[in-house]
Amino acid sequence: MAILCLITATSRAQETFSDTFSSVSYSNNDGSQNWSTNWLEYNDNNDPANGYISINNDELRFRYIWSENIRRSADLSSYYTASLSFDWRTSSLESGETLVIQISSDGSSFTTLDTFSGTQSGTFDQDITAYISSNTTIRFRKGGNDWSGNDDRTYIDNIIISTTSVPQTDTDADGVIDAVDLDDDNDGITDEEEYCSSINASFLTSSDVGERSVVINHTDTEYLRLDFSSMDNSFQLDINGSTVHPSVLEFENGALDAGDEYFVFQSDGSFISQPWVANSNGIPRLRLVVNEYGQINLYGSRNTTSTTLELMEAQSGTPFNTITWVPGNNNTFTLTNQQGPGPEGFTGELFASAICDTDGDGISNHLDLDSDNDGIYDLMEAGALNEVGVSDANNDGVIDGATSSSGSNGLFNVLEDTDTAYAILSYSILDSDSDGNYDAYALDADGDGCYDTREAGFTDNNNDGYLGPNPVLIDSNGLVTSGSDGYSAPADNDSNTTYDYREAGAAPTITSQPVDTTTCPGCSTTVSASVVADKFQWQYYNGSTWVDLTDLGVYSGTSTNTLTITNPTVNENNTQYRLQASNDAFICSSTTSNTVTLTLHVNTVVSNRRITYRVNKN
């Protein structure tokens, strides 16, 4: 299949916050974005031209440091990755005298990233994504003893915070950018469900045997959902050598071990109740999601009877790490259940997947309104239109009113349990043949050997399952533009309210074939077959082709399983007949009976001695 398409690429913006100290000022903005504050000195004179901290010869200079320190902040809240780099050199720092670089996500609680000492130089470069906030602050201060001499020096230059912003694209124009939108194309299928190449993994059942791990491998991962139906009572997930959080995630109050951190509900700081007991409504007790940008969120069901998931966070506010996916390559997940005071274990499902393009037309499924190019909208194939309050009156493949009624998460309100980032679909996406492949991504949704395009009543010129001829032409929404039809109500030829492409069908089976028959001119005879079918059509052979019979002249019952021939003439003698039987819900083929022959014999003979005459009875 050849496919020609219009593709709009979405780029991820790269922005920088920088200070090259090229002028003696604490307000330099040398990057593409401005810092949110100037450099602020503490315990010094806050003068960039002189003091223990100052700008000299295009460098930030530190000398004879005791309690003096300097900091600067940037608003990184709209970015999903960030790194900090700078050049540094030290001079004459004695043993125990150091300068440290620290970082904070709130401007008050700082973490040391690195320490500089002695007489040396280098370049610092480190990922600071975990500290992204509206008040990300870096600070330089002494790290050990007071500096003892006026010749103790450290110089910093070319400070750069490099960031990558989340694309602001809003494909479906519902006011929610794709990075946040749970349904980027408003077709009623969440983006998560439109991903593919998924795996599921079994977990560790509860047992008092110490720390245990499960290792799972998956190729081309760009999305991860980890659902725990029970948790007893802590875990850590490592992805390609990076943990999802700096600490082990602990959920049982009073069970905190070294290296653990409590995780509680963000709304009120309370603990999850009995996480080792499954939820009676079938939703996970815990759900951890790593999105396509490597950002991590954790949700939980508050108790065993909860009907919704709620956002959870580290009790101390420590952010999750950011994961770097390895597209096209293997990704390794190591899920560890730590040893505790009693039995430990967890059960659930790991769902790893990749953003994919089922029909290969260059439009990813989560942006494609016809993900398999069969001429039937994904909205129709998913079954969302069966839900009360969901319609597509203008027949564009997008839910009517979705741009104004999709709330803050971009998913149509009627189709979700709650308008949150962790909403759960309120309907089951259709998989007509129960093969694990949703109808929207299957060319033969009912698995009956007949492509959906044909069963829907549309044209498939080369019988490849795609609408129209080759090459297939599509628009920016992934809809086929080269077909002569499609994107209308699919056929329901047997009028049973189930579209034929969803209803497995088959050609009829003839259990008793018709047989040759002999009759006389002017007499009557029948030719019959035993078969259950919706439609019957008797045909005769004219010497070159088969021709459909109608109830005219000597023929009747031409559209039943029994053909009646009344008062045949010599013209019908030695004529061949056959029956074609078909079922309304299966358009791809019919069943043809064996061929039979009609022979005419007179039934009156007059004999005179040894001469025989055949006489026309009439």
Side-chain angles (χ1 to χ4, degrees):
M1 174 192 68
I3 295 178
L4 302 179
C5 59
L6 171 64
I7 302 174
T8 302
T10 301
S11 60
R12 301 175 182 179
Q14 307 289 325
E15 305 286 357
T16 59
F17 300 77
S18 179
D19 192 344
T20 62
F21 305 104
S22 56
S23 63
V24 182
S25 170
Y26 281 161
S27 61
N28 295 327
N29 285 288
D30 299 319
S32 61
Q33 297 294 316
N34 291 339
W35 298 79
S36 55
T37 69
N38 295 335
W39 287 104
L40 301 174
E41 290 183 0
Y42 287 77
N43 303 318
D44 202 1
N45 60 11
N46 211 40
D47 183 353
N50 59 72
Y52 294 107
I53 303 174
S54 61
I55 297 176
N56 294 84
N57 297 320
D58 298 336
E59 293 177 302
L60 182 64
R61 185 187 68 177
F62 299 81
R63 67 179 182 86
Y64 203 33
I65 298 298
W66 286 12
S67 61
E68 299 82 5
N69 64 85
I70 191 169
R71 68 189 66 183
R72 197 172 193 183
S73 301
D75 181 358
L76 305 183
S77 58
S78 62
Y79 305 97
Y80 72 93
T81 66
S83 63
L84 171 65
S85 66
F86 55 84
D87 298 325
W88 61 271
R89 60 188 178 92
T90 57
S91 176
S92 301
L93 295 183
E94 288 83 18
S95 176
E97 298 176 351
T98 62
L99 184 78
V100 297
I101 172 64
Q102 297 180 319
I103 193 164
S104 171
S105 59
D106 60 10
S108 59
S109 299
F110 285 87
T111 300
T112 298
L113 300 179
D114 206 350
T115 302
F116 312 103
S117 61
T119 300
Q120 52 188 323
S121 62
T123 298
F124 171 89
D125 190 348
Q126 188 167 323
D127 189 329
I128 59 169
T129 300
Y131 301 93
I132 285 177
S133 75
S134 60
N135 190 31
T136 301
T137 303
I138 61 173
R139 179 172 74 176
F140 292 96
R141 60 170 297 171
K142 72 169 188 178
N145 301 332
D146 292 343
W147 296 10
S148 59
N150 195 43
D151 61 344
D152 296 337
R153 298 280 195 274
T154 298
Y155 302 89
I156 303 296
D157 197 7
N158 299 320
I159 294 179
I160 301 175
I161 296 178
S162 300
T163 65
T164 306
S165 63
V166 174
Q168 300 300 298
T169 305
D170 178 15
T171 299
D172 52 15
D174 61 1
V176 181
I177 62 172
D178 291 356
V180 177
D181 200 327
L182 299 185
D183 181 9
D184 288 349
D185 56 2
N186 281 340
D187 62 357
I189 313 173
T190 58
D191 297 343
E192 176 184 308
E193 296 291 356
E194 299 209 70
Y195 298 158
C196 60
S197 182
S198 63
I199 62 168
N200 294 317
S202 60
F203 292 169
L204 304 167
T205 56
S206 183
S207 179
D208 190 9
V209 296
E211 182 172 292
R212 295 173 294 166
S213 296
V214 176
V215 178
I216 305 136
N217 289 286
H218 180 255
T219 300
D220 201 26
T221 315
E222 294 177 271
Y223 178 87
L224 174 75
R225 186 190 72 224
L226 183 57
D227 283 347
F228 294 100
S229 55
S230 67
M231 168 57 63
D232 190 8
N233 48 19
S234 64
F235 81 94
Q236 179 63 280
L237 176 64
D238 180 290
I239 303 177
N240 299 326
S242 299
T243 57
V244 295
H245 193 270
S247 303
V248 172
L249 288 70
E250 175 62 61
F251 299 93
E252 184 179 2
N253 192 7
L256 199 68
D257 291 324
D260 292 2
E261 189 165 350
Y262 284 132
F263 276 75
V264 295
F265 288 103
Q266 186 186 68
S267 61
D268 60 8
S270 63
F271 283 86
I272 189 172
S273 175
Q274 296 181 297
W276 51 86
V277 180
N279 180 279
S280 60
N281 292 305
I283 64 175
R285 294 311 314 274
L286 295 167
R287 168 172 288 178
L288 185 138
V289 173
V290 186
N291 68 14
E292 60 189 287
Y293 305 107
Q295 298 170 321
I296 300 171
N297 283 298
L298 177 70
Y299 313 98
S301 53
R302 188 172 288 267
N303 53 57
T304 60
T305 59
S306 296
T307 57
T308 60
L309 294 171
E310 300 179 52
L311 189 63
M312 301 186 75
E313 66 177 2
Q315 191 178 57
S316 64
T318 308
F320 282 100
N321 297 325
T322 299
I323 297 300
T324 301
W325 294 121
V326 188
N329 293 279
N330 180 67
N331 290 273
T332 300
F333 309 100
T334 304
L335 187 61
T336 303
N337 186 214
Q338 283 71 26
Q339 182 176 7
E344 299 284 342
F346 39 56
T347 57
E349 175 185 64
L350 184 147
F351 175 88
S353 63
I355 296 173
C356 61
D357 177 16
T358 296
D359 51 19
D361 61 5
I363 308 295
S364 298
N365 289 355
H366 68 294
L367 303 176
D368 196 328
L369 296 179
D370 180 10
S371 295
D372 56 0
N373 282 349
D374 63 356
I376 310 171
Y377 288 125
D378 291 352
L379 174 60
M380 170 70 72
E381 294 198 86
L385 289 175
N386 297 335
E387 301 301 299
V388 176
V390 181
S391 62
D392 183 18
N394 63 349
N395 194 43
D396 63 355
V398 174
I399 297 173
D400 293 342
T403 55
S404 59
S405 300
S406 293
S408 61
N409 65 3
L411 180 60
F412 192 54
N413 294 336
V414 172
L415 299 178
E416 61 185 358
D417 63 339
T418 179
D419 183 28
T420 61
Y422 38 89
I424 297 174
L425 275 178
S426 58
Y427 80 104
S428 297
I429 301 172
L430 290 178
D431 175 13
S432 294
D433 57 6
S434 301
D435 66 350
N437 191 21
Y438 292 139
D439 290 1
Y441 318 118
L443 293 177
D444 180 13
D446 54 13
D448 62 1
C450 187
Y451 285 131
D452 296 347
T453 304
R454 292 193 60 191
E455 290 199 276
F458 306 147
T459 304
D460 177 6
N461 300 70
N462 52 341
N463 195 37
D464 59 0
Y466 297 101
L467 182 68
N470 270 329
V472 176
L473 306 179
I474 65 162
D475 64 15
S476 60
N477 293 316
L479 301 177
V480 177
T481 59
S482 51
S484 59
D485 47 26
Y487 306 115
S488 58
D492 177 21
N493 289 318
D494 57 2
S495 302
N496 67 349
T497 72
T498 299
Y499 295 126
D500 294 346
Y501 78 86
R502 295 178 182 167
E503 183 178 17
T509 299
I510 297 176
T511 56
S512 178
Q513 294 285 347
V515 296
D516 294 339
T517 184
T518 300
T519 190
C520 62
C523 300
S524 297
T525 190
T526 61
V527 182
S528 181
S530 295
V531 56
V532 176
D534 295 326
K535 286 187 171 64
F536 305 94
Q537 179 61 60
W538 286 96
Q539 299 177 317
Y540 78 96
Y541 190 66
N542 67 3
S544 59
T545 59
W546 287 95
V547 181
D548 289 346
L549 288 169
T550 58
D551 287 352
L552 293 174
V554 301
Y555 301 112
S556 61
T558 56
S559 58
T560 71
N561 68 318
T562 299
L563 174 66
T564 299
I565 305 172
T566 305
N567 297 325
T569 69
V570 293
N571 292 328
E572 283 73 52
N573 186 42
N574 292 324
T575 298
Q576 292 180 312
Y577 301 92
R578 70 179 187 184
L579 173 66
Q580 284 197 318
S582 62
N583 287 324
D584 292 336
F586 191 74
I587 196 173
C588 279
S589 66
S590 60
T591 300
T592 303
S593 72
N594 294 343
T595 299
V596 298
T597 302
L598 172 66
T599 303
L600 296 183
H601 286 170
V602 295
N603 62 359
T604 301
V605 177
V606 179
S607 182
N608 180 11
R609 296 183 180 176
R610 288 176 295 191
I611 301 174
T612 299
Y613 301 89
R614 296 195 181 276
V615 181
N616 187 321
K617 177 182 177 182
N618 297 322

